[in-house]
């Protein structure tokens, strides 16, 4: 999932990160930090000034040396104090895996690309793809008002499905509500329905008129899950399985039932310092908490069995790094939607902040951003108590990247997978020198 603060672009149900990661470290959303300035051409002698030499753009991909790649990830992950981390990278050169630490505190089993974990807001890419498939089938239209499918939505007659997909409804984000975090901490096994979390959202007035602005809100995708069930005539989990996971061979991916808190084996435990509010409402750690976490006096809480049903279509899925690499590449390269729907999906990203040139753009369950002179990614991120993750695909250079960690926030308050992202991108692309914190 993801919260509203720019710092945490990929939160709980978050999408992403702002490519510099919005998590406290480098907000993935900070486009200016992601795009290195091109070097100025050196002036030629006066006799040739009429034809200045063009600026040389280096080849986009660096050669990957596996041991150096592993060592770099290892250093960055240890600095963040994550118990365990996995980086899965696929480029035209091959497939590379960097694994750090343990899948469970107190045990020596390293995490793996087949470990199951909670993918949080990366689920939104799946919900959006299903909505696009239903539109492709003629079972809904993206310009339909949400009121045609779900009653009682504030401004529902004026909010289109496309606006929900692009986070432009103005509806209050239910994961910001303190009562949700409080209930999750006192009753972590509680099974939630979409109607219950939407009731929390609807008790608050909308933040702005439909399509007047952009604001990340998990409420949009909780609604889209109900829309998909009504238009598709079947439960969301079943449609995910039949239309997305099975056709792509994603055997390790599922949307659990509302009362299912388990993770299939092999699996990773997920941890976070403090209560759920630090992930859901983006509350910052106090200086005292940061120091206690860094010194080891404050131990992380095991959130593995907290019930994720409050997230559902906005962030409730379980997957593996292997499956997510298959998913994001398939989605971006057109293996999920038909050609016309794929073109519409690829064109959907719209600037989150129109004043930021080449900044982060959010579309139909996907973020797009340039972060170098000849590199850009379609990506998303996910954060909830216990886990943080990033998935991205660069179609121009055929680069697939998945990062996950089993600690939501580092002691200094950064979302950990997003904080690893600049380090990893610097290893992949020539000409980048992103700050790594």
């Amino acid at each position: 999932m993801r919260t509203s603060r720019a710092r945490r672009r990929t939160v709980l149900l978050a999408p992403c990160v702002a490519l510099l990661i919005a998590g406290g470290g480098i907000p993935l959303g900070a486009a200016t930090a992601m795009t290195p300035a091109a070097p100025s051409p050196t002036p030629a002698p006066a006799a040739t000034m009429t034809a200045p030499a063009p600026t040389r753009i280096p080849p986009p991909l660096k050669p990957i040396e596996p041991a150096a790649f592993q060592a770099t990830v290892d250093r960055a992950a240890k600095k963040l104090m994550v118990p365990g981390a996995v980086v899965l990278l696929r480029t035209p050169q091959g497939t590379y895996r960097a694994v750090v630490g343990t899948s469970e505190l107190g045990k020596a089993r390293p995490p793996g690309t087949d470990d199951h974990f909670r993918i949080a807001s990366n689920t939104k890419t799946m919900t959006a793809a299903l909505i696009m498939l239903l539109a492709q089938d003629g079972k809904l239209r993206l310009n339909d008002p949400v009121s045609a499918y779900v009653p009682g939505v504030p401004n529902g007659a004026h909010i289109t499905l496309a606006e929900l997909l692009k986070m432009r409804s103005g509806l209050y984000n239910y994961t910001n509500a303190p009562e949700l975090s409080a209930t999750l901490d006192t009753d972590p096994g509680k099974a939630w329905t979409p109607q219950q979390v939407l009731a929390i959202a609807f008790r608050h007035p909308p933040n702005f008129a439909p399509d007047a602005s952009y604001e990340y809100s998990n409420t949009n995708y909780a609604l889209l899950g109900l829309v998909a069930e009504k238009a598709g005539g079947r439960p969301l989990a079943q449609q995910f399985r039949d239309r997305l996971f099975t056709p792509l061979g994603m055997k390790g991916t599922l949307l659990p039932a509302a009362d299912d808190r388990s993770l299939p084996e092999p699996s990773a435990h997920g941890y976070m310092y403090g209560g759920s509010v630090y992930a859901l409402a983006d509350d910052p750690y106090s200086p005292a908490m940061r120091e206690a976490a860094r010194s080891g006096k404050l131990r992380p809480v095991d959130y593995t069995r907290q019930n994720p049903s409050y997230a559902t279509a906005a962030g409730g899925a379980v997957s593996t790094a292997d499956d997510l690499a298959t998913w994001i590449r398939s989605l971006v390269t057109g293996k999920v939607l038909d050609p016309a729907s794929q073109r519409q999906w690829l064109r959907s990203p719209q600037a989150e902040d129109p004043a930021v040139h080449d900044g982060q753009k959010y579309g139909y369950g996907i973020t797009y951003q340039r972060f170098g002179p000849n590199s850009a990614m379609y990506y998303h991120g996910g954060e909830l108590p216990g886990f943080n993750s990033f998935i991205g695909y660069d179609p121009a250079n055929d680069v697939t990247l998945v990062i996950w960690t089993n600690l939501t926030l580092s002691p200094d308050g950064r979302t950990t997978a997003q904080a690893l992202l600049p380090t990893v991108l610097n290893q992949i692309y020539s000409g980048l020198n992103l700050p790594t914190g």
Side-chain angles (χ1 to χ4, degrees):
M1 306 203 49
R2 170 177 162 184
T3 61
S4 58
R5 187 178 301 177
R7 168 197 128 189
R8 192 84 44 87
R9 282 323 210 199
T10 53
V11 169
L12 165 69
L13 299 176
C16 193
V17 304
L19 215 153
L20 248 189
I21 298 204
I26 312 178
L28 267 195
T32 53
M34 299 260 336
T35 307
S40 300
T42 302
T48 60
M49 283 292 280
T50 54
T55 301
R56 179 180 178 274
I57 297 177
L61 300 184
K62 291 180 179 178
I64 303 293
E65 200 287 305
F69 185 67
Q70 171 68 51
T72 300
V73 172
D74 190 70
R75 285 192 297 271
K78 287 181 178 177
K79 187 175 180 180
L80 294 165
M81 295 179 62
V82 297
V86 168
V87 178
L88 174 59
L89 170 66
R90 294 176 181 168
T91 80
Q93 303 174 56
T95 297
Y96 306 90
R97 299 171 179 85
V99 172
V100 177
T102 181
S103 59
E104 182 179 356
L105 286 172
K107 297 188 178 179
R109 188 181 78 82
T113 59
D114 61 345
D115 270 10
H116 295 83
F117 68 99
R118 304 198 190 282
I119 69 171
S121 280
N122 291 309
T123 307
K124 291 182 175 71
T125 62
M126 300 163 181
T127 300
L130 179 58
I131 291 290
M132 294 297 293
L133 285 171
L134 291 168
Q136 191 174 289
D137 297 343
K139 294 183 177 179
L140 57 78
R141 295 174 301 176
L142 298 187
N143 61 357
D144 285 343
V146 66
S147 59
Y149 302 89
V150 183
V153 180
N155 290 336
H158 305 288
I159 297 171
T160 67
L161 303 186
E163 288 160 357
L164 294 176
L165 287 165
K166 295 168 73 171
M167 303 292 185
R168 301 185 67 85
S169 72
L171 295 171
Y172 176 84
N173 184 3
Y174 71 86
T175 54
N176 286 347
E179 61 266 34
L180 175 65
S181 297
T183 302
L184 289 172
D185 291 341
T186 57
D187 187 7
K190 177 180 171 64
W192 296 81
T193 66
Q195 290 80 4
Q196 287 173 319
V197 298
L198 289 172
I200 293 174
F202 298 164
R203 287 199 289 268
H204 298 260
N207 293 329
F208 52 83
D211 203 30
S213 185
Y214 164 91
E215 184 179 47
Y216 195 90
S217 173
N218 293 306
T219 302
N220 295 316
Y221 277 73
L223 283 167
L224 287 168
L226 294 180
V227 171
E229 290 192 330
K230 184 166 184 178
R234 292 179 295 158
L236 186 65
Q238 184 180 344
Q239 293 188 67
F240 274 2
R241 183 192 65 211
D242 295 346
R243 304 209 64 177
L244 305 178
F245 307 154
T246 298
L248 294 176
M250 296 166 59
K251 296 181 180 179
T253 307
L254 70 152
L255 183 66
D259 60 351
D260 184 1
R261 295 191 283 163
S262 66
L263 286 172
E265 294 298 334
S267 64
H269 281 239
Y271 303 91
M272 187 173 72
Y273 297 102
S276 298
V277 69
Y278 293 107
L280 299 190
D282 209 19
D283 281 6
Y285 288 152
S286 68
M289 278 189 69
R290 293 185 179 202
E291 178 56 34
R294 278 193 296 264
S295 67
K297 293 179 181 178
L298 177 65
R299 301 296 297 167
V301 177
D302 190 331
Y303 277 93
T304 311
R305 298 293 182 259
Q306 186 184 72
N307 194 322
S309 57
Y310 64 93
T312 60
V318 169
S319 190
T320 68
D322 288 328
D323 273 8
L324 288 177
T326 296
W327 167 248
I328 191 63
R329 188 179 192 279
S330 298
L331 181 61
V332 178
T333 59
K335 293 182 174 61
V336 177
L337 305 174
D338 70 17
S341 297
Q342 182 69 9
R343 287 191 294 272
Q344 186 179 15
W345 183 86
L346 290 170
R347 291 195 300 262
S348 69
Q350 181 176 349
E352 295 181 8
D353 183 352
V356 178
H357 177 66
D358 260 355
Q360 185 170 290
K361 300 178 180 180
Y362 198 82
Y364 295 161
I366 199 70
T367 305
Y368 176 83
Q369 188 173 352
R370 299 195 62 82
F371 50 88
N374 47 13
S375 53
M377 273 190 178
Y378 289 89
Y379 66 89
H380 214 283
E383 173 189 347
L384 49 59
F387 298 98
N388 191 226
S389 54
F390 171 90
I391 60 175
Y393 181 72
D394 170 0
N397 299 300
D398 192 21
V399 172
T400 306
L401 178 61
V402 177
I403 304 172
W404 70 257
T405 68
N406 60 355
L407 181 71
T408 312
L409 301 169
S410 64
D412 61 3
R414 289 183 288 168
T415 48
T416 50
Q418 279 74 34
L420 284 173
L421 180 59
T423 294
V424 175
L425 291 176
N426 286 338
Q427 296 297 304
I428 298 170
Y429 293 101
S430 299
L432 290 186
N433 187 23
L434 305 175
T436 56

